[in-house]
Amino acid sequence: MSETGRLFVVAGPSGAGKDTLISKVMKAGGVHLSVSATTRKAREGEEDGRDYRFLTDEEFDRLVEQGAFLEWKEVYGNRYGTLREEVDEAIASGKDVILEIDVKGALDVKAKAPEARLIFVMPPTMDELETRLRGRKADTEEEIEVRMETAPWEIEKGRNEFDHLIVNDDVERAARELARVMGR
Ligand code: ADP
Ligand code: 5GP
């Protein structure tokens, strides 16, 4: 392990399979997945401090004022932010860090920390993306529509501005590719 860890940002359309691939790579250990703060309400099964730090609007405002965020964005109507201190501490302790954030946030991180590697998770086709969003059963019809409408813009950014592009066709193959990109 190198003295300090490296920063990896994983982004891509909602439903492309980011969570699925990251959780496979996390199993090998030695990687820290940053826990973002959000103003969105917790979904069933989500735990404060594990999935997100669930904050009120006022709490989130205060952290913005304090400069606590490496980046923050409004995504699908809620605010989400990466806590600078958490990332810095993990990197200083020698762990590689993954940020799973939206595409705009990823580009912000790259502007502030050019050494960060941006990894884009791409669905094999748009039809398959829709099938996965529906299969996940986490989103309403309206939410699925917004996610599908946002995807082409995200894919264009992924193609042109990210360091690595991984097509999540077969889970095991794509997870191996993610591990390889991360030097594991
Ligand atoms: P994201 O984190 O990008 O929003 P998820 O990891 O939640 O996406 O995946 C969305 C859905 O697609 C989940 O139900 C997941 O099980 C499924 N999925 C992920 N990768 C694949 C794949 N390679 N083939 C088929 N289904 C997949
Ligand atoms: P969800 O509410 O489904 O967990 O996440 C919605 C979107 O917010 C996803 O695209 C996710 O990657 C993004 N997101 C989660 N945390 C952050 C963050 O800290 N910053 C930014 N910019 N986006 C985030």
Side-chain angles (χ1 to χ4, degrees), residues 12-21 100 121 124 128-129 131-133 135-137 168-172 174:
S14 181
K18 301 179 294 294
D19 270 352
T20 307
L21 300 182
E100 191 200 328
V121 177
E128 176 62 16
L129 180 65
T131 302
R132 287 182 194 172
L133 278 172
R136 186 165 69 175
K137 295 189 168 47
N168 180 19
D169 39 20
D170 173 77
V171 183
E172 299 304 328

